[in-house]
């Protein structure tokens, strides 16, 4: 619902306030389909948090430093989370995001992309989209495929 307010809006973050007399959205919003463009660095930072995975790894003495070696260390952790049905899907989600973070930080041309349904995927320079969250969930539930193996396969393409 659009509720017009009298007077001009204050300029904020480069927003010219649109045309309040007509109710038209700012030019930036019109050009982007109604959404301002996402900052790729901010998206990458947000997706790299993986708080639950980091706490589990820290308890196991594993340092998550965004390297392929840290994926190997995660593969060696004892999967105590499998006994907790509430933790398992969240840990798997974090594992997928962490795998994606390592790929984005170490594979040239790899970037995060958020699909229209809000699903984060890693887009490789080749154009291939890698669905890392389902891969992380599979790893958390079954231990296979290993995160380090997935990374190796992704990095090859």
């Amino acid at each position: 619902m659009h509720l017009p307010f009298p007077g001009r809006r204050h300029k904020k973050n480069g927003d010219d306030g649109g045309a309040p007399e007509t109710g038209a959205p700012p030019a930036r919003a019109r050009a982007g389909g109604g959404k301002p463009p996402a900052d790729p660095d901010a998206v990458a930072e947000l997706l790299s948090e993986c708080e639950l995975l980091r706490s589990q790894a820290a308890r196991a003495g594993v340092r998550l430093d965004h390297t392929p070696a840290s994926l190997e260390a995660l593969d060696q952790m004892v999967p105590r989370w499998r006994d907790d049905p509430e933790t398992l899907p969240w840990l798997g989600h974090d594992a997928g995001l962490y795998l994606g973070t390592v790929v984005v930080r170490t594979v040239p041309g790899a970037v995060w992309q958020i699909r229209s349904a809000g699903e984060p995927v890693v887009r490789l320079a080749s154009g291939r989209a890698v669905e890392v969250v389902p891969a992380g969930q599979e790893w958390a539930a079954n231990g296979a495929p290993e995160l380090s193996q997935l990374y190796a396969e992704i990095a090859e393409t």
Side-chain angles (χ1 to χ4, degrees), residues 123-151:
R123 177 76 57 190
L124 302 176
S126 66
R128 176 180 166 210
V130 181
E131 296 181 3
V132 291
V133 171
Q137 290 172 327
E138 186 69 22
W139 171 82
N142 303 315
E146 293 182 338
L147 296 174
S148 59
Q149 180 63 35
L150 288 168
Y151 173 83

Side-chain angles (χ1 to χ4, degrees), residues 22-56:
T22 64
R28 180 183 64 190
R30 286 191 307 267
K35 296 180 188 175
D39 176 7
D41 293 332
V43 170
E45 185 66 28
L46 180 65
L47 294 176
S48 73
E49 288 181 0
C50 313
E51 194 172 316
L52 181 59
L53 181 68
R54 288 183 188 282
S55 71
Q56 293 276 336

Side-chain angles (χ1 to χ4, degrees), residues 5-18 20 26 28:
F5 291 97
R8 296 202 44 88
R9 290 178 25 199
H10 296 281
K11 290 183 181 183
K12 182 177 177 182
N13 296 331
D15 183 5
D16 66 357
R28 180 183 64 190

Side-chain angles (χ1 to χ4, degrees), residues 65-89:
D65 59 1
H66 306 117
T67 63
S70 66
L71 295 171
E72 292 175 20
L74 284 173
D75 289 335
Q76 302 305 313
M77 283 177 35
V78 176
R80 300 186 199 291
W81 58 84
R82 290 191 190 134
D83 297 332
D84 185 349
E86 290 187 26
T87 300
L88 183 63

